């Protein structure tokens, strides 16, 4: 492997990593704070991509697609929480898995009814359809934009959770719901907002994945599995863990596919997960205890 | 050690009528009638559906051992099911294509490949169980889900055995040298395998091992305090469960003479969990009833509308919300309960 390929694949790995982080952040917050396993997170990724593709096809504006699709996904997430998932915070994990599993089938079918079973094409924004020179490598500028947006969002998220009053409420609700409630925090509203914010991030990831992979029914499920792996390796509920694990998975998966034989390359991140959990069963950055 | 020593007052369903051998015998006899019914109504399609029901019943029973009795939510079982299928497929493949790894000759003899499938999946299941069982709760669910996808992508990447398109079994499958793929005899064989699985599991559940397993789902700390290491029991249950799931997968591959990764995705694992919950967790015949209901509903709904998954997903949600004890509870209310000592 020469140095140019090394740089290119490193960029690809980091880009996959930040995209995974956008997915994993919502997943790990919802799990860490509300103790809810939300398998519909991949569906929100898909909804973001489909809404963006539809707006783009009608208006031709990628910015407009972004501005419409992110709030739309947040709204879809909020609806999901308020109508169904809110009732499942106190049920067992088995019930949560089953109900979100049922919801995946329902949402997939609804999307298929609206947009059809054929993949919807999504064009690159003209401004970002070229390539830029990074350390001597000609790299697609859209992929670079994903990388930049992902890093900015990750930093902003970290700032909000760690250094703002809302972040403090979120952390309070996470560590002791009853106590936070008694101290005057509207936990129910915080939960709804966290869920909506997680949905918005998943939607954003979906919108950015749209032009480089196909926008189709079921597109959220492979990335959901990867995001779950990230969440587990990072430690459930840990934003920092999710960020580090995302980059790790992104890079290892990308290089695994390039350097190893296909059967091994497709398994490498799962083997890495097994190895990490064998030594640290609660992930790299366990949140509670 | 008696059951009450370790606090099994609320042990799942031990002693219900459907827990007894009578229920197993009745279910087996009922299933044996299907070919007669198919011949009488001139509808050979029935046997195909019934074979599927029986095979998935075995897989759901395997899952129920760890999920219903051990309290372990495993999303790995479709992967194990698939490994069992691929053992049959790969063994048959090497009959014409040269020895496996240059050493093992291929075979289509079910008396060899079915036990082999069980050993391979039992070992794979134990290996993954060692890692997954170190964790607990939600971590366990997500790790088993990830392991399932690992197996899924592994077989997709195996181009030699068809990759994403799956592996066609062209070699004739035999049982003790006799052709074994005729539909009706093969169906009877599957029913026999189901009956043996049911009897074996019943003995296992009622044994000291089963008592400890059920106790581990209820109060692990108490077991440890009594000097019983729960991990060993859970791991053993996981290995047995994997072996049975492998048997089911092997029978499925033999019946279709085809195996593909599409039967191994995590969605199929979710289906198996739904079958268990639908029929009744921690009961002997619940998974059989669940598998039958699930598969028949799938056929009926898909014949009724192309958007059947909408209704199907809604049905799953309703089952979770409303039907806490599973369908077998409904039967339980119809038939008077008889206590089995």
């Amino acid at each position: 492997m020469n140095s140019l390929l090394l740089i290119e694949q490193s960029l690809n790995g980091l880009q996959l990593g930040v995209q995974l982080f956008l997915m994993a952040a919502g997943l790990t917050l919802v799990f860490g704070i509300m103790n809810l396993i939300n398998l519909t997170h991949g569906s929100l990724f898909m909804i973001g991509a489909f809404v963006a593709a539809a707006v783009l096809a009608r208006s031709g504006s990628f910015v407009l697609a972004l501005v419409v699709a992110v709030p739309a996904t947040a709204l879809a997430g909020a609806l999901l929480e308020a109508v169904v998932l809110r009732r499942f915070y106190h049920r067992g994990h088995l019930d949560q898995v089953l109900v979100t599993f049922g919801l995946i089938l329902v949402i997939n079918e609804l999307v298929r009814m609206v947009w059809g079973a054929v993949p919807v094409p999504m064009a690159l924004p003209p401004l970002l359809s070229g390539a830029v020179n990074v350390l001597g490598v000609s790299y697609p500028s859209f992929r670079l934009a994903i990388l930049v947006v992902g890093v900015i969002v990750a930093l902003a998220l970290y700032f909000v959770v760690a250094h703002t009053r809302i972040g403090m409420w979120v952390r309070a609700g996470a560590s002791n719901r009853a106590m936070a409630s008694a101290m005057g925090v509207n936990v129910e509203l915080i939960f709804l907002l966290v869920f909506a914010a997680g949905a918005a991030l998943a939607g954003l990831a979906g919108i950015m994945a749209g032009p480089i992979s196909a926008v189709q029914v079921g597109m959220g499920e492979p990335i959901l599995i990867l995001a779950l792996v990230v969440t587990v390796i990072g430690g459930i509920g840990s934003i920092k863990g999710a960020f580090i694990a995302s980059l790790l998975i992104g890079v290892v998966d990308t290089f695994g596919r390039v350097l190893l034989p296909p059967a091994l390359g497709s398994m490498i991140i799962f083997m890495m997960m097994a190895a990490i959990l064998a030594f640290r069963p609660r992930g790299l950055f366990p949140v509670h205890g | 050690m008696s059951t009450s020593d370790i606090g099994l007052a609320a042990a799942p369903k031990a002693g219900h009528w459907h827990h007894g051998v009578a229920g197993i015998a009745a279910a087996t006899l009922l299933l044996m009638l299907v070919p007669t019914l198919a011949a009488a109504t001139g509808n050979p399609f029935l046997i195909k559906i019934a074979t599927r029901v029986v095979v998935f019943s075995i897989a759901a029973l395997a899952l129920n051992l760890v999920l219903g009795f051990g309290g372990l939510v495993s999303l790995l079982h479709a992967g194990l099911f698939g490994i069992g299928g691929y053992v049959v497929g790969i063994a048959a493949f090497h009959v014409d294509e040269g020895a496996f790894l240059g050493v093992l000759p291929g075979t289509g003899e079910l008396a060899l490949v079915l036990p082999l499938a069980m050993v391979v999946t039992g070992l794979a299941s134990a290996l993954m169980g060692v890692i997954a069982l170190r964790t607990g709760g939600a971590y366990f669910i997500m790790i088993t889900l990830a392991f399932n996808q690992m197996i899924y992508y592994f077989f997709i990447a195996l181009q030699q055995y068809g990759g994403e398109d799956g592996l066609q079994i062209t070699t004739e499958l035999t049982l003790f040298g006799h052709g074994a793929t005729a539909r009706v005899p093969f169906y009877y064989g599957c029913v026999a395998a189901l009956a043996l699985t049911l009897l074996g599991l019943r003995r296992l559940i009622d044994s000291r091992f089963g008592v400890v397993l059920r106790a581990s789902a209820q109060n692990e700390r108490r077991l440890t305090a009594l000097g019983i290491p729960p991990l060993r029991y859970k791991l053993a249950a996981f290995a047995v469960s994997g072996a049975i799931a492998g048997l089911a997968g092997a029978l499925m591959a033999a019946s279709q003479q085809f195996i593909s990764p599409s039967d191994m995705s995590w969605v199929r694992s979710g289906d198996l969990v739904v079958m268990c919950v639908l029929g009744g967790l921690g009961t002997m015949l619940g998974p059989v009833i669940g598998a039958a209901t699930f598969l028949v509903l799938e056929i009926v709904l898909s014949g009724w509308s192309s958007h059947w998954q909408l209704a199907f997903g809604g049905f799953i949600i309703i089952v979770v919300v409303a039907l806490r004890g599973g369908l077998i509870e409904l039967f339980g209310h119809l038939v008077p309960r008889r206590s089995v000592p």
Side-chain angles (χ1 to χ4, degrees):
Chain A
M1 166 178 265
N2 62 36
S3 64
L4 288 186
L5 191 59
L6 184 76
I7 294 169
E8 188 184 351
Q9 294 303 335
S10 301
L11 287 171
N12 279 342
L14 291 175
Q15 177 238 311
L16 175 61
V18 296
Q19 241 182 330
L20 277 177
F21 175 72
L22 295 181
M23 285 293 284
L27 206 58
T28 204
L29 276 182
V30 166
F31 193 88
I33 295 175
M34 308 161 198
N35 197 23
L36 178 85
I37 300 185
N38 176 26
L39 298 182
T40 58
H41 207 65
S43 307
L44 295 167
F45 174 88
M46 174 179 73
I47 289 172
F50 268 99
V51 173
V55 174
L56 184 63
R58 275 169 188 72
S59 70
S61 161
F62 197 85
V63 175
L64 188 66
L66 206 63
V67 170
V68 173
V70 171
T73 320
L75 189 67
L79 269 176
L80 211 56
E81 200 270 354
V83 176
V84 187
L85 297 178
R86 176 171 289 186
R87 288 158 233 283
F88 285 85
Y89 292 148
H90 297 294
R91 300 276 286 264
H93 290 140
L94 175 61
D95 286 355
Q96 296 173 355
V97 165
L98 282 171
V99 82
T100 49
F101 182 70
L103 282 170
I104 288 178
L105 298 185
V106 170
I107 296 170
N108 275 348
E109 203 53 58
L110 287 175
V111 168
R112 197 174 287 135
M113 285 163 90
V114 176
W115 282 287
V118 189
V120 178
M122 195 169 163
L124 284 170
L127 190 65
L128 296 171
S129 58
V132 283
N133 193 316
V134 185
L135 302 168
V137 178
S138 171
Y139 197 73
S141 41
F142 187 74
R143 284 178 180 265
L144 202 64
I146 295 178
L147 188 55
V148 172
V149 170
V151 169
I152 291 171
V153 171
L155 288 175
L157 190 65
Y158 177 76
F159 178 77
V160 169
V161 172
H163 295 291
T164 65
R165 186 162 290 266
I166 291 180
M168 189 178 77
W169 290 336
V170 167
R171 282 177 287 132
S175 53
N176 191 331
R177 184 179 175 162
M179 182 61 82
S181 212
M183 304 289 274
V185 177
N186 186 344
V187 177
E188 208 161 87
L189 181 66
I190 291 288
F191 280 17
L192 183 72
L193 290 178
V194 169
F195 206 97
L201 291 176
L204 180 63
I207 296 161
M208 295 194 304
I212 49 177
S213 64
V215 177
Q216 58 188 338
V217 172
M219 67 184 283
E221 280 143 42
I223 196 151
L224 169 74
I225 310 286
L226 286 185
L228 287 173
V229 171
V230 163
T231 310
V232 169
I233 292 181
I236 293 173
S238 163
I239 288 279
K240 186 168 89 178
F243 186 67
I244 292 171
S246 295
L247 295 184
L248 197 64
I249 291 285
V251 171
V252 170
D253 188 56
T254 305
F255 277 98
R257 285 174 198 284
V258 177
L259 298 176
L260 298 171
L264 206 59
S266 64
M267 288 169 66
I268 186 75
I269 55 163
F270 300 106
M271 286 153 77
M272 187 173 80
M273 177 193 75
I276 289 175
L277 292 173
F279 294 102
R280 297 182 71 99
R282 302 193 68 79
L284 294 173
F285 298 93
V287 170
H288 305 292
Chain B
M1 181 177 64
S2 81
T3 309
S4 58
D5 282 348
I6 49 174
L8 265 186
K13 310 286 181 288
H16 279 194
W17 67 275
H18 45 69
H19 202 69
V21 176
I24 296 174
T28 310
L29 281 175
L30 210 63
L31 286 168
M32 295 286 241
L33 291 177
V34 170
T36 320
L37 188 68
T41 57
N43 195 352
F45 188 56
L46 263 184
I47 300 175
K48 207 175 160 191
I49 298 170
T51 308
R52 208 171 154 76
V53 166
V54 169
V55 167
F56 274 97
S57 293
I58 298 174
L61 279 167
L63 177 62
N64 193 41
L65 175 63
V66 288
L67 173 63
F69 295 104
L72 300 165
V73 184
S74 161
L75 287 174
L76 168 64
H77 274 61
L80 298 169
F81 183 85
I83 292 179
Y86 267 100
V87 169
V88 176
I90 290 173
F93 177 80
H94 283 287
V95 170
D96 297 324
E97 303 284 333
F100 179 69
L101 298 174
V103 196
L104 287 169
T107 174
E109 173 55 52
L110 291 179
L112 286 174
V113 290
L114 290 182
L116 181 67
M118 294 182 75
V119 170
V120 170
T121 45
L123 285 176
S125 177
L127 193 68
M128 288 181 275
V130 168
I131 294 159
L133 287 168
R134 279 175 54 88
T135 68
Y139 276 87
F140 183 84
I141 301 176
M142 294 192 190
I143 291 162
T144 50
L145 176 58
F147 277 141
N148 189 84
Q149 289 313 90
M150 174 179 90
I151 301 169
Y152 173 70
Y153 289 123
F154 176 75
F155 281 103
I156 283 187
L158 276 186
Q159 288 305 325
Q160 191 192 357
Y161 302 120
E164 202 161 358
D165 301 329
L167 181 59
Q168 200 78 40
I169 299 174
T170 47
T171 305
E172 200 206 355
L173 298 175
T174 55
L175 184 64
F176 300 114
H178 304 286
T181 47
R183 190 164 280 175
V184 173
F186 188 85
Y187 173 73
Y188 285 128
C190 289
V191 174
L194 174 63
L196 284 176
T197 305
L198 278 166
L199 290 172
L201 281 176
R202 195 204 128 84
R203 284 213 62 164
L204 192 68
I205 301 286
D206 289 344
S207 71
R208 180 180 182 280
F209 176 89
V211 173
V212 174
L213 180 65
R214 281 181 280 155
S216 78
Q218 312 234 332
N219 194 337
E220 205 161 305
R221 200 177 289 172
R222 208 158 167 186
L223 266 186
T224 315
L226 282 165
I228 305 168
L231 183 66
R232 273 184 227 167
Y233 287 83
K234 288 200 276 188
L235 186 59
F238 212 66
V240 171
S241 171
I244 299 172
L247 171 67
L251 289 173
M252 194 74 221
S255 112
Q256 298 180 329
Q257 305 192 29
F258 176 67
I259 173 77
S260 94
S262 63
D263 277 333
M264 308 169 70
S265 87
W266 73 277
V267 177
R268 265 290 165 209
S269 284
D271 290 348
L272 289 173
V273 174
V274 173
M275 287 175 196
C276 287
V277 172
L278 178 59
L281 276 183
T283 64
M284 219 50 231
L285 288 177
V288 181
I289 295 169
T293 313
F294 185 100
L295 295 169
V296 169
L297 202 64
E298 200 175 58
I299 292 166
V300 171
L301 286 179
S302 61
W304 172 57
S305 159
S306 61
H307 297 298
W308 63 281
Q309 292 223 339
L310 192 66
F312 204 62
F315 173 75
I316 292 172
I317 296 169
I318 290 168
V319 166
V320 180
V321 174
L323 201 71
R324 301 310 295 268
L327 286 173
I328 202 154
E329 279 290 294
L330 303 179
F331 286 79
H333 292 306
L334 296 177
V335 181
R337 282 180 189 163
R338 175 158 46 88
S339 65
V340 179

